[in-house]
Amino acid sequence: DTEVTQTPKHLVMGMTNKKSLKCEQHMGHRAMYWYKQKAKKPPELMFVYSYEKLSINESVPSRFSPECPNSSLLNLHLHALQPEDSALYLCASSQDNRGTQYFGPGTRLTVL
Amino acid sequence: DQQVKQNSPSLSVQEGRISILNCDYTNSMFDYFLWYKKYPAEGPTFLISISSIKDKNEDGRFTVFLNKSAKHLSLHIVPSQPGDSAVYFCAAGAPNFGNEKLTFGTGTRLTIIP
């Protein structure tokens, strides 16, 4: 089983809203990732958690705030986003920080 | 600086024939390479990987070849099937150098013609 689940599938929010994206895996993976993907572009890494500690932050604006409550869950808290933040947000996990990354289906975010 | 390049944005192949997707990289520290397939509005699906100690890895219809001296890898799909129509991304990483970050190419849209 290589399933990573993400909720919600779609999200529309205004620039003053606060929302959260959720990601879950039950493969016992200890590394989890957030990526952002714009149309016709490759995924861009945002954050990496390794053993529930933030190990990489790719200079992401503070309006994106990641959280890893436990080894199976990864959240991305959103606040005061801009329309240019509209994109597909992908979560991935790997056995450890050296393993193959498996992606979830993504959350399609639209900021109005 | 694009460290992983897929120079063909699109490729069309007749059903049943071989599809060959190419990828070039510039960073000699990369030691692990992966291919992902992506349908619209879905997450990338892992297909196959290869580490730098090998020059070939095969899984069913998919074979990845690595030419380290040329810094080039390719994905062969044979025989090609209509369900293979998707965007294919190659990705590279340097996990043995303590870097879990994957660098993705820009993708190649493969269309299989029935």
Side-chain angles (χ1 to χ4, degrees):
Chain A
D1 181 15
T2 54
E3 189 177 26
V4 177
T5 59
Q6 290 187 243
T7 55
K9 196 172 173 66
H10 301 277
L11 178 62
V12 179
M13 59 187 289
M15 290 191 285
T16 58
N17 291 157
K18 284 186 183 181
K19 296 285 185 183
S20 295
L21 309 184
K22 296 187 185 303
C23 174
E24 192 165 2
Q25 56 86 16
H26 294 288
M27 297 178 278
H29 289 177
R30 302 311 301 270
M32 296 185 77
Y33 310 77
W34 280 115
Y35 287 84
K36 171 182 177 179
Q37 186 174 25
K38 300 279 255 185
K40 300 189 191 302
K41 297 284 189 185
E44 293 177 33
L45 183 67
M46 300 174 73
F47 303 103
V48 181
Y49 273 83
S50 182
Y51 293 86
E52 297 155 57
K53 288 186 169 31
L54 184 64
S55 61
I56 293 180
N57 176 341
E58 290 286 290
S59 302
V60 179
S62 59
R63 56 186 185 269
F64 295 92
S65 174
E67 179 196 18
C68 188
N70 61 54
S71 60
S72 301
L73 292 173
L74 186 66
N75 298 321
L76 186 62
H77 303 296
L78 314 172
H79 174 56
L81 294 194
Q82 304 296 311
E84 59 264 28
D85 297 321
S86 298
L88 181 68
Y89 287 84
L90 294 162
C91 173
S93 71
S94 60
Q95 189 164 5
D96 54 33
N97 61 1
R98 297 169 186 266
T100 297
Q101 294 182 27
Y102 295 92
F103 285 81
T107 293
R108 172 68 60 188
L109 174 67
T110 303
V111 182
L112 301 176
Chain B
D1 175 30
Q2 191 69 32
Q3 296 186 61
V4 178
K5 298 179 187 176
Q6 293 176 255
N7 291 318
S8 298
S10 63
L11 175 68
S12 294
V13 174
Q14 206 77 32
E15 182 180 357
R17 305 294 290 268
I18 183 171
S19 296
I20 301 176
L21 297 104
N22 294 304
C23 181
D24 296 294
Y25 61 96
T26 57
N27 188 341
S28 57
M29 300 289 276
F30 289 143
D31 61 356
Y32 185 58
F33 304 89
L34 309 93
W35 284 95
Y36 287 89
K37 169 182 175 180
K38 188 176 185 303
Y39 294 118
E42 292 186 12
T45 301
F46 169 71
L47 282 176
I48 193 167
S49 63
I50 189 167
S51 80
S52 58
I53 61 172
K54 292 186 167 184
D55 53 19
K56 177 182 174 181
N57 190 25
E58 196 169 353
D59 185 0
R61 296 186 299 115
F62 302 94
T63 303
V64 56
F65 294 92
L66 176 63
N67 182 333
K68 289 186 288 293
S69 60
K71 293 193 177 67
H72 176 84
L73 64 153
S74 61
L75 175 68
H76 293 209
I77 306 173
V78 58
S80 300
Q81 298 174 355
D84 296 329
S85 295
V87 177
Y88 288 78
F89 290 98
C90 67
N96 289 325
F97 295 96
N99 185 356
E100 63 263 56
K101 176 180 172 178
L102 283 182
T103 301
F104 284 83
T106 49
T108 296
R109 179 176 301 281
L110 175 65
T111 302
I112 305 302
I113 304 163

